[in-house]
Amino acid sequence: MSRQRSPATDYIRSLYAAQDTLLADIDNMLKSQNIAMHVGAEEGKLLQVLAAMHGVKTIVEVGTLAGYSTIWMARGLPGDEYGGGHIYTLNKDPRHIAMAKESFAKSDVAERITMLEGDAKDSLEKLAQDKAFKAKPLDMVFIDADKISYNIYLDWAEQHVRKGGLIIADNTFLFGSVWLESPPEGVAPTTWNAMRRFNERLADQSRYQSVIIPTAEGLSVAIKLF
Ligand SMILES: C[S@@+](CC[C@H](N)C(=O)[O-])C[C@H]1O[C@@H](n2cnc3c(N)ncnc32)[C@H](O)[C@@H]1O
């Protein structure tokens, strides 16, 4: 959700995570529409570095919005000269899908991106049956869609991410509520319980080597050990 700025994030953004014109245009377009759901530039860069650091070739992203995080991650994938990488990104909102299509068409990584339209649960089922998708190991899943469904996305990731692969999820502090004794006003108890359950699952050190990076929103990073 909305990204807080601080002198530290400004510094990181200017020195390590400078946006090119395309990313800046997407960021500005979303801001002009009062949509503040995308990762910050420093988080986009972090996702890119994690993917590159882990030798990730195939990513599934649940929750595209306008393609801002997708493009950051796609740029961390190997190019064709190194065997090629691919990101499948899932979205159901027609307005967001149109924005993402425009972003991808203008990008330098369009050929590395496939967007699946419709509810993510259906798209994940379809993807699991797709021949080209099944032919390669899945190295990373990035979950950044409806919070109530995070455990469903994790069920799917547990089935399909390769052993040693990454499961990453944004907003796992659930707007600063997960550590409270009960859900605060404005946070649905079902969503609050779901996110706490999600975090407890990823905290199981017999199944994951994991942590929540204390970004403003909480970014869970887990290596799948099974
Ligand atoms: C937080 S935004 C994604 C931001 C994006 N990852 C970024 O940082 O640039 C969440 C997106 O997930 C989509 N979404 C929410 N629930 C969904 C569902 N059940 N299936 C598919 N997409 C969904 C929304 O339409 C929205 O575009």
Side-chain angles (χ1 to χ4, degrees), residues 37-39 61 63-65 67-69 90-93 96 118-121 142 144-147 153:
M37 294 194 288
H38 56 307
V39 298
E61 175 183 49
T64 321
L65 187 57
Y68 184 82
S69 53
L90 281 45
N91 213 337
K92 69 170 184 182
D93 182 313
H96 297 174
D119 191 275
K121 287 139 216 135
F142 174 49
D144 190 18
D146 48 333
K147 313 305 159 205
Y153 304 140

Side-chain angles (χ1 to χ4, degrees), residues 42-178:
E42 72 286 357
E43 293 158 331
K45 184 66 184 290
L46 173 61
L47 292 167
Q48 183 186 104
V49 170
L50 288 169
M53 193 185 264
H54 211 64
V56 165
K57 283 190 163 180
T58 305
I59 303 176
V60 169
E61 175 183 49
V62 186
T64 321
L65 187 57
Y68 184 82
S69 53
T70 324
I71 291 170
W72 273 110
M73 288 188 282
R75 288 176 174 168
L77 294 172
D80 284 343
E81 65 278 31
Y82 301 105
H86 208 81
I87 178 163
Y88 299 85
T89 185
L90 281 45
N91 213 337
K92 69 170 184 182
D93 182 313
R95 198 162 65 102
H96 297 174
I97 290 167
M99 294 193 293
K101 279 186 176 163
E102 206 179 316
S103 309
F104 299 151
K106 287 181 190 160
S107 81
D108 52 318
V109 283
E111 77 292 347
R112 294 185 198 165
I113 301 170
T114 299
M115 187 158 56
L116 284 89
E117 302 177 21
D119 191 275
K121 287 139 216 135
D122 301 330
S123 297
L124 288 172
E125 258 181 51
K126 275 187 211 145
L127 195 56
Q129 304 306 322
D130 183 85
K131 256 193 187 169
F133 173 77
K134 283 201 290 187
K136 292 185 180 165
L138 175 58
D139 304 305
M140 173 171 157
V141 166
F142 174 49
I143 302 172
D144 190 18
D146 48 333
K147 313 305 159 205
I148 186 79
S149 306
Y150 269 35
N151 283 289
I152 296 170
Y153 304 140
L154 183 55
D155 290 341
W156 188 91
E158 286 186 341
Q159 275 186 49
H160 297 283
V161 171
R162 69 166 169 85
K163 184 177 177 181
L166 295 176
I167 298 174
I168 302 182
D170 196 19
N171 304 111
T172 50
F173 289 160
L174 196 63
F175 323 117
S177 74
V178 277

